[in-house]
Amino acid sequence: MMFGTGVGLMVALLAVTLLVVPVSFGVAARADAKVRRLAEFRASHPNPVGSVAVADVDERCDRWRQLATRAWLICVGASLAAVAVVGVLICVA
C-alpha cells in the first residue's frame, strides 16, 4: 500500500494533536490550581485591607478561570481530533 499525501497529512495532524493534548492539559491543571489558591486566599482573608486588594484578587481569579476554561476546551477538542484521526487511519489501513 502506498501512502498518499492524505495519509501523510493525517499522520502529521495526529502528531500535532498528540502534542497539544498534554500541553493544554498542563496549562488547564495549572490554571485550575491557581484559581483554587486565589479562592482559598479570598476565603481566609474575608476583610482584606482596601477594596483594591479585593478587586485585584477577584480580577486575577476571573482571568485564571477563563484561561483554565479555554485550556480545557482545547484539550478536549484536541483529544477528540486525535481519536477521529486514529479512526480514519484505521479505516484507511
Side-chain angles (χ1 to χ4, degrees), residues 16-91:
V16 169
T17 58
L18 291 177
L19 290 173
V20 169
V21 169
V23 171
S24 61
F25 181 83
V27 170
R30 168 97 170 127
D32 275 343
K34 187 71 171 179
V35 168
R36 208 172 311 117
R37 277 190 298 248
L38 287 170
E40 288 173 2
F41 173 79
R42 180 82 158 87
S44 66
H45 298 88
N47 294 321
V49 178
S51 62
V52 175
V54 172
D56 182 47
V57 169
D58 288 343
E59 180 181 337
R60 286 177 35 202
C61 192
D62 286 342
R63 283 186 290 169
W64 280 105
R65 189 174 289 117
Q66 288 174 355
L67 176 65
T69 301
R70 288 183 188 132
W72 282 121
L73 290 174
I74 290 170
C75 184
V76 168
S79 297
L80 292 174
V83 169
V85 169
V86 167
V88 169
L89 288 172
I90 288 172
C91 291

